[in-house]
Amino acid sequence: MNELGLVMGQEAYAAAVAQQDRELEFTLLGRQWHQLSGVLGGEYNHATGLFASWLPHAGVRRMLEMGCGCGVASVVAALEGVPEVTALDINPAAVRTTELNARRHGVADRVRARVSDLFAAVPPTDSFDLIFWNSPFIETPPGQAHDSDLAYHFFDPGYTLHQRFLTESARRLTPGGRLFLGFSHAMGNAGRLREVAGAAGFTVRTYRQEAFDVPAAELGSSPVYATHADAAGQIRIDFTLLELRR
């Protein structure tokens, strides 16, 4: 497990739970978006916007977004011309939020949102030209249970969700279809991800990345931050879009 990522994830999750009853609107990629209570957003929208804008939509006819949250990546794909977008989330509030945002931006006819445990709600014959998941890359101990729907957006015990997702994605891609994960090397377990990706027949490469330094003291008081800081007291944080290739 990634010690730094686990501490950051636990603190971020506690903050998200404390604010989960709020409903709000936010601006991202030059547009206004709904965020219903019980849905992850706030400071995490920056990475969401990066990934949504980086995905290659040209030539894509059918896209699937796993863990859609507010539906930003799904709506952006539809706005950029993808005619059929499936948006899935285990959190019913996220699905309702995605539907609201699809209607708000005039693409409700292109975006189909469903409550689903990974691919469970997708007909077995459906396949996609592009699959994207802004994955819960904070690894926790195997078998650790989630205590809320929000936890699914942060944590993956033993990367078992990643294993299930990648195994099923291999069967769901069209010939020439592309698979992307939103990730962070600073907070996730890249070695474990390569293991589960390899077992599913994929190799992992960085498609695009934004990285920046943050003073350890600004992240919090945990001694873990000081341990992982460089000589200047900085910690490098990244938002990385990974492409997984067969």
Side-chain angles (χ1 to χ4, degrees):
M1 284 186 293
N2 182 328
E3 180 186 46
L4 174 64
L6 184 58
V7 170
M8 292 183 70
Q10 289 170 336
E11 293 185 353
Y13 174 61
V17 168
Q19 300 176 30
Q20 68 177 331
D21 292 333
R22 296 188 308 164
E23 292 190 10
L24 52 84
E25 291 194 358
F26 61 92
T27 302
L28 188 66
L29 302 176
R31 297 179 181 272
Q32 294 295 116
W33 304 85
H34 296 291
Q35 181 183 317
L36 296 181
S37 61
V39 181
L40 185 65
E43 63 188 274
Y44 309 101
N45 289 326
H46 177 71
T48 298
L50 290 177
F51 298 146
S53 63
W54 290 346
L55 287 170
H57 299 117
V60 173
R61 294 202 55 80
R62 303 190 75 195
M63 171 181 157
L64 182 142
E65 181 187 11
M66 188 66 67
C68 55
C70 293
V72 173
S74 291
V75 170
V76 167
L79 288 169
E80 293 196 358
V82 178
E84 297 181 43
V85 182
T86 298
L88 305 178
D89 205 296
I90 199 168
N91 181 355
V95 171
R96 292 193 299 272
T97 303
T98 296
E99 291 172 337
L100 283 172
N101 284 320
R103 288 196 296 271
R104 179 171 195 161
H105 296 296
V107 292
D109 59 328
R110 295 185 172 200
V111 177
R112 177 185 62 177
R114 296 287 185 271
V115 177
S116 186
D117 179 2
L118 294 182
F119 290 91
V122 182
T125 57
D126 282 9
S127 59
F128 303 91
D129 305 310
L130 191 155
I131 297 174
F132 166 66
W133 189 21
N134 188 3
S135 70
F137 46 72
I138 305 297
E139 184 185 14
T140 52
Q144 180 170 308
H146 291 330
D147 59 3
S148 75
D149 286 336
L150 276 178
Y152 285 94
H153 292 278
F154 287 90
F155 306 116
D156 184 2
Y159 271 27
T160 55
L161 290 174
H162 284 80
Q163 286 180 302
R164 291 172 53 205
F165 171 78
L166 293 171
T167 299
E168 184 71 8
S169 292
R171 298 192 289 264
R172 296 290 188 162
L173 287 169
T174 58
R178 303 177 74 177
L179 174 62
F180 293 88
L181 285 180
F183 193 73
S184 172
H185 293 282
M187 294 176 275
N189 186 339
R192 178 62 177 148
L193 178 62
R194 285 192 296 271
E195 289 177 4
V196 298
F202 292 100
T203 58
V204 182
R205 78 174 186 105
T206 296
Y207 181 78
R208 194 163 173 180
Q209 181 183 79
E210 178 180 286
F212 50 92
D213 293 325
V214 179
E218 290 186 7
L219 291 174
S221 59
S222 170
V224 169
Y225 296 129
T227 299
H228 288 268
D230 62 18
Q234 304 283 317
I235 293 178
R236 172 136 293 210
I237 303 296
D238 66 282
F239 299 127
T240 302
L241 185 63
L242 298 175
E243 182 172 12
L244 289 86
R245 291 180 167 182
R246 292 186 284 192

